[in-house]
Amino acid sequence: MSEFSSNFLALAAQICASLDPAQMDRIARGLSEVREAGGRLFILGVGGSAGNAGHAVNDFRKLCDIEAYAPTDNVSELTARTNDEGWETVFAGWLAGSRIRAGDGVLVFSVGGGNAAANVSMNLVHALDLAKERGAKIFGIVGRDGGHTATVGDEVIVVPTLDEALITPLAEAFQGIVWHALVSHPDLKRNATKW
């Protein structure tokens, strides 16, 4: 076994052991409250996290009966908003067009969580500010220190940084682990998987 592979798996195990199961339970309860209130779940992510968002939408809809959407799944609207209004406001514009409101939820998948001071992932920053202003609940699975998501979120899991060179792959991998735990959680899961 290569040293790299052995180290990667060791870091993943260490991250797994460091996550707080009570925090995952709180997110599951919060998402359950969104569903029971008739709210919708908007899942935001960029890059690999956008791919995770599309997959998670499927799981929350199919397994948990939560009305869920990812703006990155509609490439026509996404690129039209980017072209006409700019990338920084694309998610906020999409949420405004969806009439985000109290009772809805936003789930952010991000490595950095957005950072206004560093001008990074401003699309997430603007979207979260709008969601907060409208009274939506904010959840997140992020890396690093969690950035703006961790600052304004109601419940945010921050995947610890154990190796600077592996922040992105480990943060994005743990988005998948955590959301799969959530859609399997007894507070959320309503429908059986095929296998």
Side-chain angles (χ1 to χ4, degrees):
M1 181 166 35
S2 77
E3 185 176 327
F4 175 84
S5 297
S6 157
N7 181 56
F8 193 93
L9 292 173
L11 292 172
Q14 195 175 343
I15 290 169
C16 249
S18 74
L19 295 180
D20 181 3
Q23 189 175 34
M24 292 170 68
D25 290 343
R26 289 191 299 271
I27 293 175
R29 278 193 300 278
L31 292 172
S32 176
E33 290 168 6
V34 167
R35 177 183 60 203
E36 300 314 313
R40 299 153 306 157
L41 178 62
F42 300 105
I43 306 178
L44 308 179
V46 178
S49 297
N52 283 345
H55 182 161
V57 162
N58 164 66
D59 288 350
F60 281 106
R61 292 178 71 90
K62 186 173 184 300
L63 301 176
C64 303
D65 291 334
I66 295 176
E67 185 178 348
Y69 304 95
T72 46
D73 284 347
N74 184 341
V75 72
S76 296
E77 182 179 355
L78 183 74
T79 55
R81 287 186 179 281
T82 301
N83 187 60
D84 298 345
E85 296 139 27
W87 181 243
E88 287 190 1
T89 60
V90 68
F91 292 154
W94 194 90
L95 290 174
S98 297
R99 296 177 304 285
I100 191 167
R101 59 187 179 267
D104 288 335
V106 172
L107 175 58
V108 175
F109 292 162
S110 177
V111 175
N115 185 316
N119 197 33
V120 176
S121 298
M122 290 303 296
N123 46 15
L124 294 176
V125 171
H126 293 305
L128 293 177
D129 289 346
L130 176 68
K132 197 77 170 168
E133 176 185 307
R134 300 273 180 98
K137 292 288 184 189
I138 297 171
F139 307 97
I141 307 165
V142 297
R144 291 193 183 272
D145 62 358
H148 195 64
T149 303
T151 301
V152 302
D154 295 287
E155 199 67 57
V156 178
I157 291 175
V158 179
V159 177
T161 300
L162 302 180
D163 183 332
E164 288 288 329
L166 297 173
I167 291 170
T168 298
L170 287 169
E172 290 180 350
F174 275 86
Q175 292 165 9
I177 290 170
V178 172
W179 104 64
H180 280 102
L182 292 171
V183 300
S184 302
H185 196 287
D187 285 352
L188 284 174
K189 186 176 181 181
R190 286 188 171 168
N191 303 308
T193 56
K194 177 75 172 178
W195 299 104

